Structure formats: C-alpha cells, structure tokens
Amino acid sequence: MYDESIAALRKAMLYDGANKDGRIPYVLGKAYFRSGPSFADSAIIYLEKAKKLGYSAPDLNEFLGLAYASVKDYRNSVAAFTQALQPDQEPSDLLLLAIAKSYLGLEENDTARAYLYQCIEKTKDVELRAQARIFLAKLFVSEGKNQEAMEQYLAIVAENDQNAEAHYQLGELYANAGDSIKARSEWRKTLKIDPNHGPARTRLSI
C-alpha cells in the first residue's frame, strides 16, 4: 500500500524545486514510518529533512519521536516529543504514553512514572489505560514495590477481566509472595483467555 506512495514521492523529489518543498519529505517520512519498524531510519531522514526546510505540521514531531523510539534513540525521541507538546493544548493520551515509554528507555523512571499517571488519568480508552498500568506495574516491580504493582494489575482486571497479561503478571507476583494456589489460578485464567500464552503454559507445567 505504502510502496507505491513512497515510489511516487521519491520520484517527485527529483523535479526542480521539489527539494525546497518540505511537504514532500514530510509525507514521505510518514509513509516510511507506517511501512513498519524496519523503515524507521528512512522515516527519520525525511521527517528531519522536512523540519530543516521549515515545514511545520501538528503531528510532525510526534511521528519523529515515534520513529526515533523505534530505533531506540530515546534521547532524540524525547526531544521530538517535547517539541510536539503544545502549551495551549492538552496532549493526547497516546502522546503521553509514547513519552513515558521513551523515558523508561532512558531509565528516567520518575519522569516516566509521571507521564504514565497522566495517561491513566486522562485516557478513556480501556486498552490504552491497561498498557499504561502494565508499564507502571513493571516499573514498580523493578523497584521492589510488588504491592503497588499488584494494585495496578488488579485495577486492570477490575476494568477488563479478559486481559491475559495482567492475569499472568498477577500470577508471577503471587508466586513471588509464596502463594502458589493463587498464582496457578491466575495462570489458568491467562490460558483460558489466551491459549497460546507460552510463559503461562510453562508455569503450569512446572
């Protein structure tokens, strides 16, 4: 789908004057980004080119931040996302989660936690809120705060009992606390929701 668009846009850039029009590399950069993670490098090249040409679009820096995050360049990702934040506009819940993930990649946990809480409070999307809670819970686990992590997973299943990952991670926390009965119960729930969940199947076979 995007291959034809990319080919046409690259051909357009060969015409005189096209290299001065930031709209073309902007659209080309977005097309590369939407083509998949393996094209993130190309997306960065053309989105940066659009910026250098002075082109401005509301989502340019957001796409640039996502592209940098795809190649694990979290420092530039955060820089782009910061430019995407508009002082006179509320950031989208997707942008808040993306920023949090980049700060996690930089191991700047306190800042990441703040953005995760903002996303959880702001979003009306149950799945997106679950994603933010999972990142937050894993952050708590890394800090040895298992009770706080458990509260996040319990909040997920309270809102959507069909979240396999939340049940699996609850099982892990119960197992770490020495409660094998509750742990196995959570892993069975995981497999009931997702029969192909390998880690849960491995746990139940022990």
Side-chain angles (χ1 to χ4, degrees), residues 2-202:
Y2 292 107
D3 290 349
E4 292 182 4
S5 298
I6 288 170
L9 288 164
R10 286 178 64 90
K11 187 179 293 185
M13 291 186 70
L14 298 175
Y15 291 101
D16 290 339
N19 282 329
K20 297 179 181 179
D21 187 346
R23 292 174 298 177
I24 298 175
Y26 161 70
V27 177
L28 184 53
K30 288 179 66 173
Y32 270 121
F33 178 80
R34 294 189 183 281
S35 295
S38 60
F39 293 93
D41 283 332
S42 295
I44 291 168
I45 289 170
Y46 287 103
L47 290 170
E48 287 285 12
K49 183 177 178 64
K51 286 186 70 174
K52 287 177 181 176
L53 289 171
Y55 184 73
S56 177
D59 61 356
L60 192 158
N61 283 307
E62 190 166 346
F63 271 96
L64 189 56
L66 291 168
Y68 274 122
S70 293
V71 298
K72 295 183 169 46
D73 184 346
Y74 298 115
R75 186 65 61 190
N76 277 317
S77 175
V78 165
F81 284 141
T82 300
Q83 291 181 49
L85 294 171
Q86 300 294 323
D88 58 338
Q89 294 180 9
E90 284 289 320
S92 70
D93 43 12
L94 283 169
L95 179 57
L96 291 170
L97 182 58
I99 295 171
K101 288 164 68 175
S102 287
Y103 275 114
L104 286 172
L106 291 171
E107 298 183 354
E108 295 185 17
N109 293 347
D110 288 342
T111 306
R113 186 182 355 256
Y115 278 105
L116 289 170
Y117 275 124
Q118 283 188 60
C119 180
I120 290 167
E121 292 170 5
K122 175 182 174 60
T123 188
K124 296 180 181 179
D125 186 318
V126 173
E127 179 57 33
L128 191 66
R129 183 159 45 246
Q131 288 181 46
R133 287 192 186 279
I134 286 173
F135 280 113
L136 185 58
K138 289 181 177 179
L139 179 54
F140 280 134
V141 169
S142 73
E143 297 172 339
K145 300 175 181 177
N146 287 1
Q147 183 57 44
E148 287 89 339
M150 188 173 290
E151 289 170 2
Q152 294 301 318
Y153 290 126
L154 288 171
I156 293 171
V157 299
E159 193 167 31
N160 175 21
D161 193 48
Q162 296 303 298
N163 191 300
E165 186 62 19
H167 282 295
Y168 172 73
Q169 295 297 343
L170 275 172
E172 292 292 291
L173 290 171
Y174 285 129
N176 290 337
D179 193 335
S180 60
I181 293 175
K182 284 187 176 180
R184 294 180 71 82
S185 173
E186 293 297 334
W187 294 329
R188 282 193 290 271
K189 289 177 184 177
T190 302
L191 285 180
K192 186 175 181 181
I193 298 165
D194 179 8
N196 295 318
H197 197 289
R201 188 172 298 281
T202 299

